[in-house]
Amino acid sequence: MPFASKALTDDLIQVTLDGRLDIAGTAAIEQPFAFATTGRAARIIIDLSGVTFMTSIGIRLLVATARAQTNRGGSVVLAAAPPLVQQVLETAGIDQLIQMVATTDEARAAMALR
Amino acid sequence: MSQQLRFTLETSTHAIGHAIARLSEFASCYGMDDDAQFKLDLCANELLANVAEHAYAGAVGEVGLELLLDSAGATLTVVDNGPRFDPFDEAALPLPTSLATARIGGLGLHLVRRFADAVRYERVGNCNRLTVEISGESTLLHPPATVTLPDAVPDVTSAPVSS
């Protein structure tokens, strides 16, 4: 479960996740992902287009990131989740807690308003 | 015609990862469709995580997995010998309504309830048996001539069984 982080502006960061967000995949990135996404207040776009699988453990990671950023005055948008991953997130009610959009372009537009 | 895979594993993160891979490869070998495989993968992950967390008070224990594939779909059973615990007996947790109050505990079993077509719990002897049924199109009647399964899970107690 690799991930990549790219600063689009000083306080706008796009993080791209790939692979499986299950027990093993989440454990493999938990600490560096938290460091990259919660170290300071920022607007974070999490690109899920490469995520092939999601369990409650992966959801916990996303919620923890969004909560930390909200507490710091930042924000998180989830972008481009594949259909089955989106279905898992919606079934868990995450779309009611974290904004989800269909593409990273939409995510950038949403963040431009914040 | 049906195909069955049965083995045991320890409830360590490493062994669970290998077991999930083995289940997925078995389902793939017998032509289970992608949506059904995703649901099977999700239910197996969440049920094994639940056993690892609750069955042995945090210690590593043994868990049995049984996967039956037939033309209607998959039946997955997870067996542990921890204290009696029916996770489906509890009322479904309300979904989180805010980031500040969101608690993820219980969410995995909520996903199992929603993604499986049927769930049931049985106490058999000293064992908890959690079973989920997942419907899905399959090409079971035309399995590959030779099915090669990954030999990644220690303490495998039986090979695939045709019936």
Side-chain angles (χ1 to χ4, degrees):
Chain A
M1 164 52 78
F3 79 92
S5 175
K6 180 171 66 175
L8 303 177
T9 68
D10 189 42
D11 74 334
L12 179 60
I13 300 169
Q14 182 167 314
V15 181
T16 301
L17 289 167
D18 284 300
R20 293 170 60 90
L21 269 181
D22 56 6
I23 296 174
T26 302
I29 64 161
E30 201 161 17
Q31 289 191 356
F33 185 82
F35 180 78
T37 58
T38 63
R40 61 186 173 90
R43 297 171 294 159
I44 309 286
I45 296 169
I46 301 179
D47 178 2
L48 298 174
S49 60
V51 175
T52 57
F53 185 67
M54 173 83 67
T55 70
S56 59
I57 298 289
I59 291 173
R60 184 180 303 181
L61 181 75
L62 300 178
V63 168
T65 298
R67 180 188 288 143
Q69 275 301 338
T70 300
N71 290 341
R72 287 175 177 272
S75 59
V76 168
V77 170
L78 304 177
L84 285 170
V85 171
Q86 172 132 355
Q87 188 180 347
V88 171
L89 291 168
E90 290 178 352
T91 301
I94 301 306
D95 57 324
Q96 304 300 309
L97 306 181
I98 308 173
Q99 185 177 3
M100 294 177 61
V101 297
T103 67
T104 53
D105 284 345
E106 283 183 52
R108 293 181 195 196
M111 285 303 197
L113 302 175
R114 298 185 183 183
Chain B
M1 181 178 182
S2 63
Q3 297 287 339
Q4 188 173 19
L5 176 67
R6 183 184 300 168
F7 58 92
T8 61
L9 66 144
E10 290 187 337
T11 55
S12 67
T13 299
H14 181 73
I16 288 173
H18 281 296
I20 296 294
R22 189 163 189 221
L23 290 177
S24 296
E25 182 146 349
F26 186 78
S28 180
C29 281
Y30 287 99
M32 175 174 267
D33 69 74
D34 290 345
D35 279 14
Q37 278 195 52
F38 187 97
K39 293 175 182 177
L40 173 64
D41 197 348
L42 180 64
C43 290
N45 266 279
E46 300 296 358
L47 291 181
L48 287 172
N50 177 69
V51 169
E53 188 170 348
H54 295 292
Y56 304 113
V60 172
E62 191 172 77
V63 58
L65 277 183
E66 300 169 12
L67 176 61
L68 176 70
L69 299 180
D70 60 26
S71 57
T75 303
L76 174 71
T77 301
V78 177
V79 184
D80 70 72
N81 55 12
R84 175 187 294 273
F85 177 58
D86 177 2
F88 301 125
D89 189 37
E90 299 177 3
L93 291 174
L95 292 178
T97 55
S98 75
L99 277 173
T101 61
R103 295 288 180 270
I104 304 301
L107 187 56
L109 291 171
H110 169 75
L111 293 174
V112 172
R113 282 189 175 102
R114 295 293 298 273
F115 278 82
D117 293 289
V119 299
R120 66 176 176 273
Y121 168 83
E122 302 164 279
R123 181 73 178 178
V124 180
N126 292 324
C127 295
N128 298 301
R129 290 178 60 90
L130 289 171
T131 300
V132 298
E133 296 177 9
I134 297 162
S135 61
E137 190 176 349
S138 166
T139 55
L140 278 172
L141 296 178
H142 306 285
T146 302
V147 178
T148 303
L149 294 170
D151 187 22
V153 180
D155 302 321
V156 172
T157 56
S158 67
V161 176
S162 296
S163 58

